[in-house]
Short mmCIF file of all heavy atoms in Angstrom, two decimals:
data_model
loop_
_atom_site.label_atom_id
_atom_site.label_comp_id
_atom_site.label_asym_id
_atom_site.label_seq_id
_atom_site.Cartn_x
_atom_site.Cartn_y
_atom_site.Cartn_z
N SER A 31 14.16 -7.07 -1.80
CA SER A 31 12.76 -7.23 -2.24
C SER A 31 12.14 -5.87 -2.54
O SER A 31 11.38 -5.72 -3.52
CB SER A 31 11.95 -7.94 -1.15
OG SER A 31 12.38 -9.28 -1.00
N ILE A 32 12.43 -4.88 -1.71
CA ILE A 32 11.90 -3.53 -1.92
C ILE A 32 12.39 -2.97 -3.24
O ILE A 32 11.62 -2.43 -4.04
CB ILE A 32 12.31 -2.61 -0.75
CG1 ILE A 32 11.59 -3.04 0.53
CG2 ILE A 32 11.99 -1.15 -1.08
CD1 ILE A 32 12.04 -2.30 1.77
N LYS A 33 13.68 -3.09 -3.51
CA LYS A 33 14.26 -2.57 -4.75
C LYS A 33 13.66 -3.25 -5.97
O LYS A 33 13.37 -2.60 -6.98
CB LYS A 33 15.77 -2.76 -4.75
CG LYS A 33 16.51 -1.92 -3.73
CD LYS A 33 18.00 -2.20 -3.83
CE LYS A 33 18.75 -1.80 -2.61
NZ LYS A 33 20.20 -2.10 -2.70
N LEU A 34 13.48 -4.57 -5.90
CA LEU A 34 12.90 -5.30 -7.03
C LEU A 34 11.46 -4.87 -7.28
O LEU A 34 11.04 -4.72 -8.43
CB LEU A 34 12.96 -6.81 -6.77
CG LEU A 34 14.34 -7.46 -6.88
CD1 LEU A 34 14.30 -8.90 -6.39
CD2 LEU A 34 14.84 -7.40 -8.32
N GLY A 35 10.71 -4.66 -6.21
CA GLY A 35 9.33 -4.23 -6.36
C GLY A 35 9.24 -2.86 -7.00
O GLY A 35 8.47 -2.63 -7.95
N VAL A 36 10.04 -1.91 -6.50
CA VAL A 36 10.02 -0.54 -7.02
C VAL A 36 10.52 -0.47 -8.46
O VAL A 36 9.90 0.17 -9.33
CB VAL A 36 10.87 0.39 -6.12
CG1 VAL A 36 11.02 1.77 -6.76
CG2 VAL A 36 10.25 0.51 -4.73
N SER A 37 11.63 -1.13 -8.74
CA SER A 37 12.23 -1.05 -10.07
C SER A 37 11.38 -1.75 -11.15
O SER A 37 11.52 -1.46 -12.34
CB SER A 37 13.65 -1.64 -10.07
OG SER A 37 13.62 -2.99 -9.66
N ASN A 38 10.49 -2.65 -10.74
CA ASN A 38 9.63 -3.34 -11.70
C ASN A 38 8.24 -2.72 -11.79
O ASN A 38 7.38 -3.23 -12.50
CB ASN A 38 9.50 -4.81 -11.32
CG ASN A 38 10.69 -5.64 -11.76
OD1 ASN A 38 10.77 -6.07 -12.91
ND2 ASN A 38 11.63 -5.85 -10.86
N SER A 39 8.05 -1.61 -11.10
CA SER A 39 6.75 -0.94 -11.11
C SER A 39 6.73 0.19 -12.13
O SER A 39 7.72 0.90 -12.31
CB SER A 39 6.42 -0.39 -9.72
OG SER A 39 5.24 0.38 -9.75
N SER A 40 5.59 0.38 -12.77
CA SER A 40 5.42 1.48 -13.73
C SER A 40 4.69 2.65 -13.08
O SER A 40 4.37 3.64 -13.75
CB SER A 40 4.62 0.99 -14.94
OG SER A 40 3.35 0.50 -14.54
N ASN A 41 4.44 2.57 -11.79
CA ASN A 41 3.69 3.60 -11.08
C ASN A 41 4.59 4.54 -10.30
O ASN A 41 5.80 4.32 -10.18
CB ASN A 41 2.68 2.94 -10.13
CG ASN A 41 1.47 2.41 -10.87
OD1 ASN A 41 0.60 3.16 -11.28
ND2 ASN A 41 1.41 1.11 -11.05
N ASN A 42 3.98 5.59 -9.73
CA ASN A 42 4.74 6.53 -8.91
C ASN A 42 4.30 6.51 -7.45
O ASN A 42 4.67 7.38 -6.67
CB ASN A 42 4.64 7.96 -9.48
CG ASN A 42 3.20 8.42 -9.63
OD1 ASN A 42 2.28 7.80 -9.11
ND2 ASN A 42 3.01 9.50 -10.35
N ILE A 43 3.48 5.53 -7.11
CA ILE A 43 3.10 5.29 -5.72
C ILE A 43 3.24 3.79 -5.46
O ILE A 43 2.78 2.97 -6.26
CB ILE A 43 1.65 5.73 -5.42
CG1 ILE A 43 1.50 7.24 -5.64
CG2 ILE A 43 1.28 5.39 -3.98
CD1 ILE A 43 0.09 7.76 -5.39
N TYR A 44 3.87 3.44 -4.34
CA TYR A 44 4.16 2.03 -4.05
C TYR A 44 3.63 1.66 -2.67
O TYR A 44 3.98 2.30 -1.68
CB TYR A 44 5.67 1.77 -4.09
CG TYR A 44 6.40 2.55 -5.16
CD1 TYR A 44 7.13 3.68 -4.84
CD2 TYR A 44 6.33 2.16 -6.51
CE1 TYR A 44 7.79 4.41 -5.82
CE2 TYR A 44 6.98 2.88 -7.49
CZ TYR A 44 7.71 4.02 -7.14
OH TYR A 44 8.35 4.75 -8.11
N MET A 45 2.79 0.65 -2.63
CA MET A 45 2.36 0.11 -1.34
C MET A 45 3.08 -1.21 -1.10
O MET A 45 3.09 -2.08 -1.97
CB MET A 45 0.85 -0.13 -1.29
CG MET A 45 0.40 -0.64 0.09
SD MET A 45 -1.38 -0.92 0.24
CE MET A 45 -1.52 -2.48 -0.64
N PHE A 46 3.68 -1.34 0.07
CA PHE A 46 4.35 -2.58 0.44
C PHE A 46 3.51 -3.30 1.48
O PHE A 46 3.15 -2.73 2.51
CB PHE A 46 5.74 -2.28 1.01
CG PHE A 46 6.65 -1.60 0.04
CD1 PHE A 46 6.80 -0.23 0.05
CD2 PHE A 46 7.35 -2.34 -0.92
CE1 PHE A 46 7.64 0.41 -0.85
CE2 PHE A 46 8.19 -1.72 -1.83
CZ PHE A 46 8.33 -0.33 -1.80
N ILE A 47 3.20 -4.55 1.19
CA ILE A 47 2.40 -5.35 2.12
C ILE A 47 3.04 -6.73 2.23
O ILE A 47 3.44 -7.32 1.23
CB ILE A 47 0.92 -5.44 1.65
CG1 ILE A 47 0.08 -6.18 2.68
CG2 ILE A 47 0.80 -6.07 0.27
CD1 ILE A 47 -1.42 -6.02 2.43
N VAL A 48 3.16 -7.20 3.45
CA VAL A 48 3.79 -8.50 3.67
C VAL A 48 2.73 -9.59 3.65
O VAL A 48 1.54 -9.33 3.87
CB VAL A 48 4.55 -8.52 5.02
CG1 VAL A 48 5.73 -7.57 4.97
CG2 VAL A 48 3.62 -8.16 6.18
N CYS A 49 3.17 -10.81 3.39
CA CYS A 49 2.22 -11.92 3.28
C CYS A 49 2.15 -12.77 4.54
O CYS A 49 1.57 -13.85 4.52
CB CYS A 49 2.56 -12.79 2.08
SG CYS A 49 2.12 -12.03 0.51
N ASP A 50 2.75 -12.29 5.64
CA ASP A 50 2.61 -13.03 6.89
C ASP A 50 1.64 -12.33 7.83
O ASP A 50 1.71 -12.46 9.04
CB ASP A 50 3.97 -13.23 7.57
CG ASP A 50 4.72 -11.94 7.82
OD1 ASP A 50 4.18 -10.86 7.47
OD2 ASP A 50 5.83 -11.99 8.39
N GLN A 51 0.69 -11.57 7.23
CA GLN A 51 -0.43 -10.98 7.97
C GLN A 51 -1.73 -11.47 7.33
O GLN A 51 -2.47 -10.71 6.73
CB GLN A 51 -0.36 -9.45 7.93
CG GLN A 51 0.81 -8.86 8.69
CD GLN A 51 0.87 -7.35 8.55
OE1 GLN A 51 0.52 -6.79 7.53
NE2 GLN A 51 1.35 -6.69 9.60
N PRO A 52 -2.01 -12.76 7.44
CA PRO A 52 -3.14 -13.34 6.72
C PRO A 52 -4.51 -12.85 7.17
O PRO A 52 -5.50 -13.05 6.46
CB PRO A 52 -2.99 -14.85 6.98
CG PRO A 52 -2.27 -14.93 8.30
CD PRO A 52 -1.31 -13.78 8.27
N TYR A 53 -4.59 -12.21 8.34
CA TYR A 53 -5.89 -11.80 8.86
C TYR A 53 -6.26 -10.36 8.52
O TYR A 53 -7.35 -9.91 8.90
CB TYR A 53 -5.92 -12.02 10.38
CG TYR A 53 -5.74 -13.46 10.77
CD1 TYR A 53 -4.59 -13.88 11.43
CD2 TYR A 53 -6.71 -14.42 10.47
CE1 TYR A 53 -4.41 -15.22 11.78
CE2 TYR A 53 -6.54 -15.74 10.80
CZ TYR A 53 -5.39 -16.14 11.46
OH TYR A 53 -5.20 -17.46 11.80
N ILE A 54 -5.39 -9.64 7.86
CA ILE A 54 -5.75 -8.27 7.48
C ILE A 54 -6.89 -8.32 6.47
O ILE A 54 -6.91 -9.15 5.56
CB ILE A 54 -4.53 -7.51 6.92
CG1 ILE A 54 -4.85 -6.02 6.83
CG2 ILE A 54 -4.10 -8.06 5.57
CD1 ILE A 54 -3.64 -5.14 6.60
N LYS A 55 -7.87 -7.43 6.63
CA LYS A 55 -9.08 -7.45 5.79
C LYS A 55 -8.90 -6.64 4.51
O LYS A 55 -8.18 -5.64 4.50
CB LYS A 55 -10.26 -6.90 6.59
CG LYS A 55 -10.62 -7.70 7.83
CD LYS A 55 -11.74 -7.03 8.60
CE LYS A 55 -12.09 -7.80 9.86
NZ LYS A 55 -13.14 -7.10 10.65
N LYS A 56 -9.56 -7.10 3.48
CA LYS A 56 -9.53 -6.37 2.21
C LYS A 56 -10.08 -4.97 2.41
O LYS A 56 -9.56 -3.99 1.84
CB LYS A 56 -10.35 -7.11 1.15
CG LYS A 56 -10.31 -6.44 -0.23
CD LYS A 56 -11.20 -7.14 -1.23
CE LYS A 56 -12.66 -6.84 -0.98
NZ LYS A 56 -13.55 -7.36 -2.06
N GLU A 57 -11.13 -4.85 3.22
CA GLU A 57 -11.75 -3.55 3.46
C GLU A 57 -10.79 -2.59 4.15
O GLU A 57 -10.80 -1.38 3.90
CB GLU A 57 -13.01 -3.72 4.31
CG GLU A 57 -14.15 -4.46 3.62
CD GLU A 57 -13.93 -5.97 3.56
OE1 GLU A 57 -13.05 -6.48 4.30
OE2 GLU A 57 -14.65 -6.64 2.78
N THR A 58 -9.94 -3.13 5.01
CA THR A 58 -8.96 -2.31 5.71
C THR A 58 -7.93 -1.76 4.73
O THR A 58 -7.59 -0.57 4.76
CB THR A 58 -8.24 -3.14 6.80
OG1 THR A 58 -9.19 -3.56 7.78
CG2 THR A 58 -7.16 -2.31 7.49
N ILE A 59 -7.43 -2.63 3.85
CA ILE A 59 -6.45 -2.19 2.84
C ILE A 59 -7.08 -1.14 1.93
O ILE A 59 -6.46 -0.14 1.58
CB ILE A 59 -5.97 -3.39 2.01
CG1 ILE A 59 -5.37 -4.48 2.91
CG2 ILE A 59 -4.94 -2.94 0.98
CD1 ILE A 59 -5.06 -5.78 2.20
N ASP A 60 -8.32 -1.37 1.55
CA ASP A 60 -9.05 -0.47 0.67
C ASP A 60 -9.16 0.93 1.29
O ASP A 60 -8.85 1.95 0.65
CB ASP A 60 -10.44 -1.05 0.41
CG ASP A 60 -11.21 -0.28 -0.66
OD1 ASP A 60 -10.61 0.10 -1.67
OD2 ASP A 60 -12.43 -0.07 -0.47
N LYS A 61 -9.57 0.99 2.55
CA LYS A 61 -9.72 2.28 3.24
C LYS A 61 -8.38 2.97 3.42
O LYS A 61 -8.27 4.20 3.29
CB LYS A 61 -10.39 2.06 4.60
CG LYS A 61 -11.86 1.67 4.52
CD LYS A 61 -12.44 1.44 5.91
CE LYS A 61 -13.89 1.01 5.83
NZ LYS A 61 -14.46 0.72 7.18
N PHE A 62 -7.36 2.19 3.74
CA PHE A 62 -6.02 2.74 3.91
C PHE A 62 -5.55 3.44 2.64
O PHE A 62 -5.07 4.58 2.66
CB PHE A 62 -5.06 1.63 4.32
CG PHE A 62 -3.61 2.03 4.38
CD1 PHE A 62 -3.22 3.22 4.98
CD2 PHE A 62 -2.62 1.19 3.86
CE1 PHE A 62 -1.87 3.59 5.04
CE2 PHE A 62 -1.29 1.54 3.92
CZ PHE A 62 -0.91 2.75 4.50
N ILE A 63 -5.70 2.76 1.51
CA ILE A 63 -5.28 3.33 0.23
C ILE A 63 -6.06 4.60 -0.10
O ILE A 63 -5.48 5.64 -0.45
CB ILE A 63 -5.46 2.30 -0.91
CG1 ILE A 63 -4.51 1.12 -0.72
CG2 ILE A 63 -5.23 2.95 -2.28
CD1 ILE A 63 -4.75 -0.03 -1.68
N ASN A 64 -7.38 4.54 0.01
CA ASN A 64 -8.22 5.68 -0.36
C ASN A 64 -7.96 6.90 0.53
O ASN A 64 -7.88 8.03 0.04
CB ASN A 64 -9.69 5.29 -0.29
CG ASN A 64 -10.07 4.28 -1.36
OD1 ASN A 64 -9.41 4.17 -2.39
ND2 ASN A 64 -11.14 3.53 -1.13
N GLN A 65 -7.81 6.66 1.82
CA GLN A 65 -7.57 7.78 2.73
C GLN A 65 -6.16 8.35 2.58
O GLN A 65 -5.94 9.54 2.78
CB GLN A 65 -7.84 7.35 4.18
CG GLN A 65 -9.32 7.08 4.44
CD GLN A 65 -9.62 6.80 5.90
OE1 GLN A 65 -8.92 7.26 6.80
NE2 GLN A 65 -10.68 6.05 6.15
N PHE A 66 -5.22 7.49 2.21
CA PHE A 66 -3.87 7.98 1.95
C PHE A 66 -3.89 8.94 0.76
O PHE A 66 -3.27 10.02 0.80
CB PHE A 66 -2.91 6.83 1.66
CG PHE A 66 -1.58 7.29 1.13
CD1 PHE A 66 -0.62 7.82 1.98
CD2 PHE A 66 -1.31 7.23 -0.24
CE1 PHE A 66 0.60 8.28 1.47
CE2 PHE A 66 -0.10 7.68 -0.74
CZ PHE A 66 0.86 8.21 0.12
N VAL A 67 -4.56 8.56 -0.31
CA VAL A 67 -4.64 9.40 -1.50
C VAL A 67 -5.23 10.76 -1.16
O VAL A 67 -4.76 11.81 -1.61
CB VAL A 67 -5.46 8.71 -2.60
CG1 VAL A 67 -5.71 9.65 -3.78
CG2 VAL A 67 -4.75 7.45 -3.10
N LYS A 68 -6.27 10.77 -0.34
CA LYS A 68 -6.93 12.02 0.06
C LYS A 68 -6.05 12.87 0.97
O LYS A 68 -6.18 14.09 1.02
CB LYS A 68 -8.25 11.71 0.77
CG LYS A 68 -9.32 11.11 -0.13
CD LYS A 68 -10.59 10.81 0.65
CE LYS A 68 -11.65 10.19 -0.25
NZ LYS A 68 -12.88 9.86 0.53
N SER A 69 -5.14 12.24 1.69
CA SER A 69 -4.31 12.95 2.66
C SER A 69 -3.29 13.88 2.02
O SER A 69 -2.80 14.82 2.65
CB SER A 69 -3.57 11.95 3.55
OG SER A 69 -2.48 11.35 2.86
N LYS A 70 -2.93 13.61 0.75
CA LYS A 70 -1.92 14.39 0.04
C LYS A 70 -0.53 14.27 0.65
O LYS A 70 0.37 15.06 0.34
CB LYS A 70 -2.32 15.87 -0.03
CG LYS A 70 -3.69 16.13 -0.64
CD LYS A 70 -3.78 15.62 -2.06
CE LYS A 70 -5.15 15.92 -2.67
NZ LYS A 70 -5.29 15.39 -4.05
N LYS A 71 -0.34 13.28 1.52
CA LYS A 71 0.98 13.02 2.09
C LYS A 71 1.77 12.12 1.14
O LYS A 71 1.23 11.57 0.18
CB LYS A 71 0.83 12.33 3.45
CG LYS A 71 0.14 13.18 4.52
CD LYS A 71 1.05 14.25 5.06
CE LYS A 71 0.43 14.95 6.26
NZ LYS A 71 1.34 15.96 6.85
N ASN A 72 3.05 11.97 1.41
CA ASN A 72 3.91 11.14 0.56
C ASN A 72 4.32 9.83 1.22
O ASN A 72 4.97 9.00 0.59
CB ASN A 72 5.15 11.93 0.15
CG ASN A 72 4.84 13.05 -0.81
OD1 ASN A 72 4.50 12.82 -1.97
ND2 ASN A 72 4.92 14.29 -0.32
N LEU A 73 3.93 9.65 2.47
CA LEU A 73 4.20 8.41 3.20
C LEU A 73 2.93 7.99 3.91
O LEU A 73 2.17 8.82 4.42
CB LEU A 73 5.31 8.62 4.23
CG LEU A 73 6.71 8.95 3.72
CD1 LEU A 73 7.61 9.38 4.88
CD2 LEU A 73 7.32 7.75 2.99
#
């Protein structure tokens, strides 16, 4: 699944999220992405 996701992406950053965490909030994902970008880390 990871390989299919990466190989079908046109981007250079990949977020993997599973669908068996139905209670995770949109706001949480949003903050995670934004703060990751600011961190300048690669993971």
